[in-house]
Amino acid sequence: MNALTRPDPSRSRAVLPVLVIDDHPIVLQGCRRVLEDAGIETVAEATGVVAGYRAFFRLRPPVVICDLTFQGSGLAGLGLIRRMRAVEPATRILVFSMHNDPVIVSRALEAGALGYVLKDHGSNELFQAFEQVRKGDVYLDRRLATEVAMLRADPRRTPETQLTPREQQILARLAQGKSYGTIASELSVSYKTVTNACSQMRQKLGVRTLAELIHVAVTQAQRQG
């Protein structure tokens, strides 16, 4: 992360503790440094969905910084955000993620996140996002805000239309009843690539199981004739 100009610590001391949930040690260290520079004296950390929820349930922090993607769990952060908000509706959650897809951003906001900042931005922006969210204000950078607004304003832009070309290819083959292994072979990609794509499609399309995803795939194939 970039160097951060040290703010007035007195502005943030009232929001202790802050919980950071991410499975990358370097990200955890960077977040801790930003928060400590902001005057936060107690920063709790968790490296997975289960550990994150347990830490949240125990600490009941007023502010959480959370990733969306966890190794082996796809976009499990969306479900985690919903669970945390169900327990403590007043919790202010800032998503810190690599995903810049407006569909995913929109789903994070719908799940209960108050702000969303990208990991490829500097520490100054993370601090600004944190300051906004801790006050109860929404934070999105201008580009993401515009793309999310366009997504919501255009009724023709359904979740299906926001799938990547690769996801569309996989979805079409699911509609044909093909297995993950067969799809991977036909597309010359790894089995893990297919399973990860299916996990992301379930999140984008708002379905929970493979059976529901296949139903969406078949319905779309029928519409397309």
Side-chain angles (χ1 to χ4, degrees), residues 78-207:
L78 291 173
L80 176 59
I81 291 170
R82 293 189 191 96
R83 292 182 67 190
M84 291 190 291
R85 286 298 303 274
V87 171
E88 290 288 350
T91 298
R92 295 164 182 176
I93 300 174
L94 171 63
V95 171
F96 190 38
S97 172
M98 61 178 287
H99 294 288
N100 60 5
D101 187 325
V103 173
I104 295 177
V105 177
S106 181
R107 289 186 63 80
L109 299 176
E110 291 168 0
L114 199 56
Y116 197 109
V117 63
L118 297 173
K119 286 185 176 179
D120 60 1
H121 290 179
S123 57
N124 279 307
E125 182 157 353
L126 176 59
F127 170 72
Q128 291 169 10
F130 170 75
E131 285 288 286
Q132 288 288 105
V133 167
R134 77 171 183 86
K135 293 186 293 186
D137 295 332
V138 174
Y139 182 87
L140 286 176
D141 71 30
R142 183 174 298 178
R143 183 181 64 80
L144 280 182
T146 299
E147 291 181 351
V148 169
M150 290 176 61
L151 178 68
R152 293 177 172 180
D154 187 349
R156 297 169 298 176
R157 298 185 68 181
T158 63
E160 289 94 332
T161 66
Q162 300 307 303
L163 298 180
T164 66
R166 175 69 76 198
E167 289 168 345
Q168 290 281 7
Q169 290 175 327
I170 293 172
L171 193 66
R173 285 164 173 76
L174 286 175
Q176 297 167 4
K178 295 180 179 179
S179 67
Y180 285 170
T182 300
I183 295 171
S185 177
E186 288 186 359
L187 297 179
S188 299
V189 298
S190 69
Y191 185 90
K192 185 176 181 181
T193 295
V194 176
T195 59
N196 287 345
C198 287
S199 176
Q200 292 211 22
M201 283 192 288
R202 288 200 301 271
Q203 296 292 341
K204 287 184 178 182
L205 299 175
V207 299

Side-chain angles (χ1 to χ4, degrees), residues 18-37:
V18 173
L19 173 62
V20 182
I21 308 173
D22 198 293
D23 59 1
H24 291 83
I26 293 177
V27 174
L28 290 174
Q29 292 173 12
C31 287
R32 175 178 287 276
R33 185 162 58 249
V34 168
L35 293 171
E36 288 176 346
D37 283 345

Side-chain angles (χ1 to χ4, degrees), residues 6-14 36-41 134:
R6 187 177 296 274
D8 179 1
S10 63
R11 289 188 298 168
S12 301
R13 291 189 185 279
E36 288 176 346
D37 283 345
I40 304 300
E41 296 176 338
R134 77 171 183 86

